Amino acid sequence: MKGKDDLLSHFNEVLWDPRLAYLAHIFEQLNWLNLKLQGKERNAFHHTDCICAFLDKLQNWQRKVSTGNVAMFENLSTVLDDIEEDRLLDPSLKNEIIQHLKSLESELKRYFPEFEEEEGKLVRNPFSSTLDIAAISDDVRDEFLDLRNDSAARDLCEEKSLTHEVLEACHEVCYGGKVSQSIMKGPKVSKFL
């Protein structure tokens, strides 16, 4: 019986409802991110864009919470309206939220390492005039230049979005795909996505 009383005391804490409201929002956001990462037409670039956007949101939320602004956490904001007359964020709760957001950011960065933007540009659109040829490894540079000047491959790339079929076509055009294969060996997408 004593164990149940200990748990019951946590429900009576003043900060229980605000903590729960904050966590409800975070889990809702993580679920939304998870759904965005699923689907047939998803690729490493889409995943990277989604993760980067979420990391930016985490940093933005940290900045806002540090100033006492929790408007982006609707449930938390509502709970604070109900329990706080002056609607100020409790300093200990503020620190808990900031630390949690930092921890979440750190874990996402560890789990999803950074994607080299220059490598991504090469695979997304090998026909871009802004690509730095010197950044491409010597062993595939000539093949890349062949691909870059292949008008049929350029037309195909312009007609379709970056899908598996387009990548396969680019691989075949480029002498068996050494250019794209060497680039795609870099960032890995989690098998859990």
Side-chain angles (χ1 to χ4, degrees):
M1 193 68 172
K2 186 177 185 318
K4 289 184 180 181
D5 290 338
D6 290 341
L7 292 176
L8 182 62
S9 67
H10 291 292
F11 285 103
N12 294 327
E13 289 179 11
V14 174
L15 296 179
W16 169 257
D17 287 342
R19 285 182 183 127
L20 184 61
Y22 161 74
L23 288 174
H25 177 82
I26 290 299
F27 280 108
E28 180 182 340
Q29 292 299 310
L30 287 170
N31 186 48
W32 184 75
L33 173 63
N34 183 24
L35 292 173
K36 284 180 69 175
L37 296 175
Q38 297 177 32
K40 278 185 176 181
E41 298 298 318
R42 302 301 188 230
N43 56 47
F45 303 111
H46 174 79
H47 292 153
T48 299
D49 293 346
C50 290
I51 297 298
C52 288
F54 193 77
L55 288 170
D56 286 349
K57 288 179 186 180
L58 290 173
Q59 291 172 358
N60 184 46
W61 296 340
Q62 289 173 46
R63 281 190 297 276
K64 287 184 174 184
V65 171
S66 68
T67 65
N69 180 356
V70 293
M72 63 285 189
F73 304 130
E74 292 178 30
N75 293 340
L76 176 57
S77 191
T78 301
V79 167
L80 290 177
D81 282 343
D82 292 344
I83 64 171
E84 304 267 342
E85 292 152 11
D86 54 7
R87 202 172 177 271
L88 292 176
L89 184 60
D90 181 272
S92 65
L93 180 60
K94 179 171 140 177
N95 288 334
E96 283 179 35
I97 292 173
I98 291 171
Q99 288 307 314
H100 182 257
L101 292 170
K102 284 180 181 179
S103 175
L104 188 55
E105 178 185 1
S106 173
E107 284 300 305
L108 282 171
K109 284 180 177 178
R110 183 181 65 80
Y111 194 74
F112 298 99
E114 284 191 36
F115 187 74
E116 293 296 326
E117 189 60 34
E118 196 62 34
E119 291 176 355
K121 286 180 185 176
L122 172 61
V123 177
R124 282 184 185 173
N125 184 1
F127 309 103
S128 173
S129 60
T130 62
L131 285 175
D132 180 13
I133 302 299
I136 298 169
S137 67
D138 288 334
D139 59 330
V140 295
R141 192 174 296 151
D142 287 343
E143 293 175 45
F144 168 74
L145 291 171
D146 287 338
L147 171 64
R148 186 178 195 176
N149 292 291
D150 186 315
S151 59
R154 178 180 291 129
D155 292 344
L156 179 64
C157 190
E158 289 173 358
E159 288 176 16
K160 297 185 178 184
S161 65
L162 185 61
T163 63
H164 182 69
E165 292 81 20
V166 172
L167 285 176
E168 280 183 3
C170 286
H171 285 235
E172 292 308 314
V173 169
C174 190
Y175 304 112
K178 286 184 184 176
V179 172
S180 295
Q181 287 172 2
S182 69
I183 297 304
M184 291 307 285
K185 285 180 185 175
K188 302 288 188 256
V189 178
S190 171
K191 66 180 180 180
F192 299 106
L193 300 176

